Amino acid sequence: MDVPTMSIKATGAKIPAIGVGTFGSDHVSNEEMAQSVHTALRLGYRNIDCASVYGNEKEIGKVLNDFPVNREELWITSKLWNDMHGKGKVLASCRQSLKDLGLEYLDLYLVHWPFPNFHPPKCDVTSRSENARPYIHEEFMETWREMEELVDLGLVRHIGTSNMTKAKLTLLLQDCRIRPSFQEMELHPCFQQQEFLSYVKGEGIIPIGFCPLGSPNRPERDMTEGDAVDMEHPIVVEIAKAHHCHPANICLKWAQANGIIPIPQSTKEKNLLSNLESICSDPLSNEEVERLKGADCNSRLVKGQVFLWKEAKDWTDLWDLDGTIPCPESYKQ
Ligand SMILES: NC(=O)c1ccc[n+]([C@@H]2O[C@H](COP(=O)([O-])OP(=O)(O)OC[C@H]3O[C@@H](n4cnc5c(N)ncnc54)[C@H](OP(=O)(O)O)[C@@H]3O)[C@@H](O)[C@H]2O)c1
């Protein structure tokens, strides 16, 4: 299958316009995830979205190394987890992911979240970690400087952010030496983030869309009453009927039409194949893209409650909705 690509201005590199996700949540074992990466490679995927916190990079690494494909044909992303922010830790974390994945370099390394807050696995959604902090730009820049060094060292070809907001990204763009080439963020028809998306693209940053299908099997902590279900939205379903395909495929075509690289995850060969095909043929018409704007109901699924600090009001504090970054005096340096 001829999978389209997008070009990265800064380096001239090309990234496949769809990737495969590898977050197994609580229900896909490491072995099963590695098996689905193998199936994905066999079907023609070449872009794999990994992260150290998913806990399966070793198993995936074995698949990558055993599969008969040239390294240059692959696009491998990994991410710095929140417990490895700060001086001296970024290099160690990147080297560990490289070792686990059995690679000499990563195509893309992302800062998974813009603060060093982490939580015990499977913790309750209301729990707040003792050491959790709001976004503090000076601290983030210490981490970013080390991300830049990874590029200098040739360990990673591109760096990027994930779960940033416009306010935070604006600060980073002012102060960075090497700009982020990518921003990974939640994007699906019921959560389109059109204004932020335009800003990201306007800055020449390529958006990677996570939960592109509305993540039906996401962890309990990310399930909130009232969350929209993209694959059941009437506009998505109606357009799927016209294209004789599953609503999942319309979610991915929507991403493509909006210049987003979706990274759907699946353990089923049939779904992996149809997801790949949706990007390779039968795109949406302009009129359908316009109609799909009507599916947007601002339904954020991954709210991030477990990253909240002591004084935070609620999860909206993580997303700078009024354009300002909350940071109580006591955290200011
Ligand atoms: N940067 C971040 O903070 C962040 C956050 C969340 C996720 N991510 C990344 O984004 C990836 C994707 O997000 P996600 O896994 O949460 O959600 P998703 O890709 O929106 O949804 C995955 C689910 O959809 C089902 N599915 C896949 N293809 C389908 C199809 N054609 N028809 C019907 N159902 C289908 C899968 O089940 P089956 O196995 O049954 O097909 C799977 O349970 C993750 O794996 C991870 O790599 C990043």
Side-chain angles (χ1 to χ4, degrees):
M1 216 174 317
D2 227 359
V3 181
T5 56
M6 282 172 82
S7 294
I8 298 114
K9 241 207 226 134
T11 59
K14 288 191 163 82
I15 176 170
I18 181 169
V20 68
T22 65
F23 174 46
S25 185
D26 301 332
H27 66 285
V28 184
S29 71
N30 295 354
E31 289 67 31
E32 261 182 294
M33 190 57 80
Q35 182 54 45
S36 54
V37 169
H38 184 270
T39 308
L41 289 172
R42 184 164 49 72
L43 294 172
Y45 285 84
R46 292 293 179 262
N47 172 354
I48 322 284
D49 183 76
C50 306
S52 57
V53 75
Y54 302 161
N56 52 20
E57 289 193 325
K58 264 191 197 156
E59 289 81 356
I60 290 173
K62 186 155 172 17
V63 168
L64 296 179
N65 282 278
D66 290 348
F67 196 83
V69 63
N70 291 329
R71 173 67 185 92
E72 307 80 67
E73 287 176 41
L74 292 174
W75 180 282
I76 310 296
T77 299
S78 183
K79 311 185 191 88
L80 177 82
W81 185 236
N82 307 5
D83 59 347
M84 295 303 271
H85 280 222
K87 266 197 184 131
K89 294 201 206 146
V90 180
L91 180 63
S93 177
C94 179
R95 283 204 195 281
Q96 187 62 50
S97 282
L98 285 170
K99 186 170 170 223
D100 289 346
L101 290 164
L103 301 174
E104 287 181 359
Y105 69 90
L106 291 168
D107 297 277
L108 174 60
Y109 200 46
L110 302 170
V111 183
H112 209 142
W113 287 84
F115 26 67
N117 310 343
F118 57 97
H119 51 84
K122 300 187 182 168
C123 73
D124 185 84
V125 76
T126 57
S127 70
R128 296 196 181 188
S129 299
E130 265 298 289
N131 303 324
R133 314 160 68 65
Y135 177 84
I136 300 169
H137 184 58
E138 295 70 25
E139 285 188 4
F140 185 79
M141 286 312 297
E142 279 186 3
T143 297
W144 192 258
R145 295 284 172 238
E146 302 224 337
M147 296 289 285
E148 294 173 329
E149 256 182 75
L150 298 178
V151 179
D152 298 340
L153 291 169
L155 296 177
V156 314
R157 300 256 159 111
H158 306 87
I159 49 179
T161 54
S162 175
N163 295 303
M164 288 290 258
T165 62
K166 185 177 173 186
K168 293 175 182 120
L169 202 48
T170 305
L171 290 178
L172 173 62
L173 292 177
Q174 275 165 19
D175 291 343
C176 63
R177 174 169 63 84
I178 301 180
R179 288 168 64 88
S181 303
F182 294 85
Q183 146 80 352
E184 190 165 306
M185 56 200 269
E186 183 178 329
L187 288 164
H188 40 95
C190 294
F191 189 58
Q192 303 193 10
Q193 304 206 63
Q194 285 292 354
E195 198 202 323
F196 184 32
L197 186 63
S198 300
Y199 171 77
V200 167
K201 290 194 286 188
E203 288 293 342
I205 298 169
I206 298 180
I208 297 177
F210 73 67
C211 302
L213 309 176
S215 195
N217 295 315
R218 62 193 180 280
E220 277 285 317
R221 65 168 183 272
D222 292 329
M223 303 258 186
T224 313
E225 223 185 301
D227 283 348
V229 183
D230 294 76
M231 291 193 259
E232 291 172 12
H233 192 285
I235 301 178
V236 175
V237 170
E238 211 183 299
I239 296 179
K241 274 192 193 134
H243 282 258
H244 308 289
C245 68
H246 192 279
N249 306 130
I250 298 303
C251 296
L252 300 175
K253 290 177 194 294
W254 169 84
Q256 183 180 35
N258 282 280
I260 299 160
I261 297 182
I263 45 169
Q265 180 271 325
S266 176
T267 48
K268 302 197 173 73
E269 175 158 353
K270 175 175 136 289
N271 289 347
L272 284 166
L273 180 61
S274 80
N275 293 346
L276 188 62
E277 283 171 347
S278 3
I279 298 297
C280 299
S281 58
D282 194 24
L284 299 177
S285 67
N286 291 340
E287 191 249 325
E288 288 167 331
V289 176
E290 208 43 47
R291 272 186 62 211
L292 278 163
K293 286 187 179 160
D296 189 10
C297 46
N298 199 25
S299 183
R300 187 190 288 280
L301 304 173
V302 180
K303 300 173 182 72
Q305 296 96 323
V306 290
F307 302 125
L308 289 172
W309 55 98
K310 211 165 58 258
E311 300 85 350
K313 167 175 87 277
D314 60 31
W315 62 267
T316 58
D317 274 0
L318 295 170
W319 303 104
D320 311 334
L321 299 184
D322 64 357
T324 54
I325 304 169
C327 184
E329 281 303 317
S330 53
Y331 291 97
K332 293 194 176 130
Q333 291 175 335

